[in-house]
Amino acid sequence: IAGITQAPTSQILAAGRRMTLRCTQDMRHNAMYWYRQDLGLGLRLIHYSNTAGTTGKGEVPDGYSVSRANTDDFPLTLASAVPSQTSVYFCASSEHFGITEAFFGQGTRLTVV
Amino acid sequence: QKEVEQNSGPLSVPEGAIASLNCTYSDRGSQSFFWYRQYSGKSPELIMSIYSNGDKEDGRFTAQLNKASQYVSLLIRDSQPSDSATYLCAVKGDGTASKLTFGTGTRLQVTL
């Protein structure tokens, strides 16, 4: 079934540890996105990629990094996790950046303790 | 002022009634508007998109856009308990470089 797969689905992480959230899509979409969702704040864009090889900063990029080595994969790395990064993280993709509808992965629930 | 504003709810409607969900946005140049439905603990899923003023109907759902008033709404006719979810409004600004901005969502409860 075509779509977006995120891993892990949930994780408890000690503060200060490094963590990479994985995202893979098989729809050959050009654009990919990472959002975090927090109660009362909605979905906020962390980083995005227009196409393979390019990335850009979203609304809340600090403490996160991304790479886009190929079309399918868009990992999100927390270099040194802090409790404020406790959130639900969603990866999404769209055929083109911002123009067409975004499709979301199932989410990763991350708790930093 | 938030870029995309929604009433957090909960909005409670009886089964069979019309649910009306509203969204306002601040960027007058916005061009694309989307409604996503998110069940508790699940990811958002697209249910409607609208790009020009007026109404767009898809089954029991109708999206309404008024760019002059910077207002987009979603009507759900014959509401069902399975429609109980949080509905997220998303707006894309003008230009290919602009990003999709989400509202915080309105929680809808359809009661029996």
Side-chain angles (χ1 to χ4, degrees):
Chain A
I1 299 176
I4 302 175
T5 303
Q6 291 183 235
T9 55
S10 66
Q11 181 75 44
I12 298 174
L13 184 68
R17 297 296 297 270
R18 180 184 179 90
M19 173 78 188
T20 295
L21 307 184
R22 300 184 299 279
C23 176
T24 299
Q25 54 105 356
D26 60 4
M27 296 178 284
R28 308 303 295 173
H29 283 173
N30 289 300
M32 297 187 75
Y33 316 84
W34 274 105
Y35 290 90
R36 60 177 290 174
Q37 188 173 38
D38 304 286
L39 192 64
L41 297 176
L43 282 160
R44 293 182 291 168
L45 184 65
I46 304 170
H47 284 287
Y48 64 91
S49 170
N50 290 344
T51 187
T54 68
T55 63
K57 293 182 179 180
E59 182 183 355
V60 288
D62 294 343
Y64 306 95
S65 64
V66 292
S67 62
R68 187 89 184 276
N70 57 60
T71 297
D72 298 343
D73 301 302
F74 191 45
L76 175 74
T77 297
L78 289 67
S80 179
V82 295
S84 62
Q85 292 178 310
T86 294
S87 186
V88 179
Y89 291 85
F90 288 103
C91 180
S93 73
S94 64
E95 187 175 356
H96 300 291
F97 178 71
I99 298 175
T100 55
E101 298 85 346
F103 297 88
F104 286 80
Q106 78 275 26
T108 295
R109 182 174 296 275
L110 180 67
T111 303
V112 181
V113 297
Chain B
Q1 180 188 6
K2 292 181 181 177
E3 294 184 49
V4 180
E5 294 210 45
Q6 297 180 255
N7 188 317
S8 61
L11 173 66
S12 184
V13 299
E15 183 178 5
I18 296 175
S20 178
L21 303 162
N22 304 314
C23 172
T24 58
Y25 58 94
S26 60
D27 182 357
R28 185 169 289 279
S30 297
Q31 294 296 320
S32 306
F33 307 86
F34 306 91
W35 283 99
Y36 286 81
R37 177 177 62 201
Q38 186 175 24
Y39 292 113
S40 181
K42 302 296 185 182
S43 59
E45 56 177 328
L46 180 71
I47 54 172
M48 288 288 288
S49 59
I50 187 166
Y51 304 97
S52 55
N53 280 330
D55 295 359
K56 179 181 178 182
E57 186 175 320
D58 184 0
R60 295 187 295 113
F61 299 98
T62 299
Q64 299 175 318
L65 175 61
N66 184 327
K67 290 186 178 180
S69 299
Q70 295 173 240
Y71 177 96
V72 57
S73 64
L74 179 70
L75 301 179
I76 306 175
R77 290 182 299 281
D78 188 23
S79 295
Q80 301 297 309
S82 59
D83 294 325
S84 297
T86 296
Y87 289 81
L88 306 173
C89 173
V91 177
K92 180 192 175 301
D94 190 20
T96 56
S98 62
K99 306 172 188 65
L100 197 60
T101 302
F102 285 82
T104 55
T106 299
R107 187 157 64 93
L108 173 67
Q109 292 178 339
V110 180
T111 58
L112 295 173

